Amino acid sequence: MPRHPQSAPQPGYGLGKPGGTGTPPPGAGEAARGGVPGEPEAPGDSVHDTSADHDVRVAVPPVDPDAEPSGRRRLGSALWPPRVTRAQLIVALLLFVLGLGLAIQVSSTSENSALRGARQEDLVRILDELDDRTQRLEDEKARLEKQRTELESSSDQAEEARRQTQEREQQLGILAGTVAAQGPGITLTVGDPSGAVESDMLLDAIQELRAAGAEAIQVNGVRVVADSYFTGGGDDMRIDGTKVTAPYVFKVIGKPEDLEPALNIPGGVVQTLEKEQATATVERSAKIVVDALRPAKRPDYAQSSSQ
């Protein structure tokens, strides 16, 4: 067979071959870019990677200004700038009024939290104390009506009036602290080892006892009356200017069944003192003697209006 002579290497474009020379054939650039020969390049930017052996272009899609914005941009445009409508203002005002009403209701409810957390027997005892106060007022009313009737029906009205005046003077003297008194009652002893008891705590005890019907009170040899005052605290406790020291002993004349429960109610005097690391003990007695006296004061300006 005839043998074809080997042709000499033709100069051409060598892709990836070292030493390739010449002009690349038509369409070689399009093939390298992944395109179709003879078609125009797609619009957009291109990245050229030029090297000694090849030329690669990667097409980057162009940015369309009319394209739909992303979710983050839509959210930002919806929130800022803020757009407040009339309906939103009305709803905000209603919510504010509702919140204010709830806050007032919670505040008023918390004031009675001590009674809400009390046991049933404590509530019954408080109700009994209120009933006893009402009964004492009814008895006082009946006594005064009886005195009026005796004055109106007595043959010797002058003598009867004198007797009632003396009796009334003794009663007022007990309340004013100018005469001694005795009767049933309780003894309240307050110990203060840490010096935490303040004057307002003792004053609260006095007020609770008075509200429960105490008729005569004496604290460490000082007669407590309507115009008494407490100052200081700890090592400098004073009653009407007289220094008193712990333990503070209250001698109280009144109905023991009313006085003791008044001090032991939930959140009352005893619990308050115990929270301050103080001690409070209450003892009932059939006979309490209140013998501390106060000098009678003559008013400087007030005068009797009766003729």
Side-chain angles (χ1 to χ4, degrees), residues 211-291:
E215 297 175 352
I217 304 175
Q218 174 179 318
V219 181
N220 287 25
V222 179
R223 190 70 170 266
V224 178
V225 293
D227 60 349
S228 294
Y229 59 92
F230 292 73
T231 58
D235 296 334
D236 190 28
M237 182 75 70
R238 296 180 181 271
I239 303 177
D240 295 335
T242 301
K243 185 176 181 179
V244 294
T245 58
Y248 309 106
V249 180
F250 292 68
K251 293 183 178 181
V252 186
I253 297 178
K255 188 176 180 181
E257 292 79 7
D258 296 339
L259 299 176
E260 183 179 4
L263 298 175
N264 289 313
I265 61 174
V269 175
V270 173
Q271 287 189 1
T272 301
L273 291 172
E274 289 177 350
K275 289 180 180 179
E276 298 296 334
Q277 305 301 321
T279 60
T281 57
V282 182
E283 297 180 1
R284 299 186 184 186
S285 178
K287 182 179 180 180
I288 298 292
V289 178
V290 176
D291 52 5

Side-chain angles (χ1 to χ4, degrees), residues 83-100:
R83 301 178 181 86
V84 180
T85 62
R86 182 179 181 181
Q88 292 174 341
L89 289 176
I90 295 175
V91 171
L93 180 60
L94 292 176
L95 290 176
F96 173 76
V97 174
L98 178 61
L100 181 61

Side-chain angles (χ1 to χ4, degrees), residues 15-267:
L15 182 59
K17 295 181 181 180
T21 58
T23 303
E30 289 80 359
R33 294 192 300 269
V36 180
E39 292 185 359
E41 296 182 2
D45 297 335
S46 299
V47 177
H48 299 276
D49 184 6
T50 58
S51 64
D53 297 330
H54 59 278
D55 182 6
V56 179
R57 295 184 181 180
V58 180
V60 178
V63 179
D64 188 0
D66 297 332
E68 185 178 357
S70 63
R72 184 178 298 178
R73 291 184 177 180
R74 292 199 301 270
L75 180 61
S77 61
L79 295 177
W80 190 264
R83 301 178 181 86
V84 180
T85 62
R86 182 179 181 181
Q88 292 174 341
L89 289 176
I90 295 175
V91 171
L93 180 60
L94 292 176
L95 290 176
F96 173 76
V97 174
L98 178 61
L100 181 61
L102 290 175
I104 294 175
Q105 182 178 4
V106 170
S107 176
S108 61
T109 303
S110 62
E111 295 177 357
N112 300 326
S113 58
L115 293 179
R116 289 181 179 273
R119 298 175 299 176
Q120 183 176 2
E121 52 267 25
D122 294 332
L123 295 176
V124 173
R125 186 171 56 187
I126 293 173
L127 290 177
D128 292 340
E129 180 185 348
L130 294 176
D131 293 338
D132 292 338
R133 292 182 186 179
T134 304
Q135 185 62 40
R136 288 197 302 270
L137 293 176
E138 293 291 339
D139 294 342
E140 180 69 14
K141 177 182 177 182
R143 186 183 63 80
L144 293 176
E145 290 179 349
K146 181 181 178 181
Q147 289 181 356
R148 185 186 63 182
T149 302
E150 290 176 353
L151 285 174
E152 292 175 352
S153 61
S154 177
S155 56
D156 191 353
Q157 295 184 356
E159 182 64 25
E160 181 65 23
R162 188 179 300 107
R163 184 186 66 82
Q164 292 189 7
T165 300
Q166 292 177 352
E167 181 181 354
R168 189 63 177 172
E169 181 182 0
Q170 290 292 325
Q171 296 175 353
L172 294 177
I174 293 174
L175 297 177
T178 57
V179 298
Q182 66 179 14
I186 64 170
T187 300
L188 169 64
T189 304
V190 178
D192 185 21
S194 60
V197 176
E198 299 293 336
S199 57
D200 59 337
M201 300 178 186
L202 300 185
L203 181 59
D204 290 341
I206 296 295
Q207 292 177 345
E208 288 291 343
L209 291 170
R210 284 174 174 169
E215 297 175 352
I217 304 175
Q218 174 179 318
V219 181
N220 287 25
V222 179
R223 190 70 170 266
V224 178
V225 293
D227 60 349
S228 294
Y229 59 92
F230 292 73
T231 58
D235 296 334
D236 190 28
M237 182 75 70
R238 296 180 181 271
I239 303 177
D240 295 335
T242 301
K243 185 176 181 179
V244 294
T245 58
Y248 309 106
V249 180
F250 292 68
K251 293 183 178 181
V252 186
I253 297 178
K255 188 176 180 181
E257 292 79 7
D258 296 339
L259 299 176
E260 183 179 4
L263 298 175
N264 289 313
I265 61 174

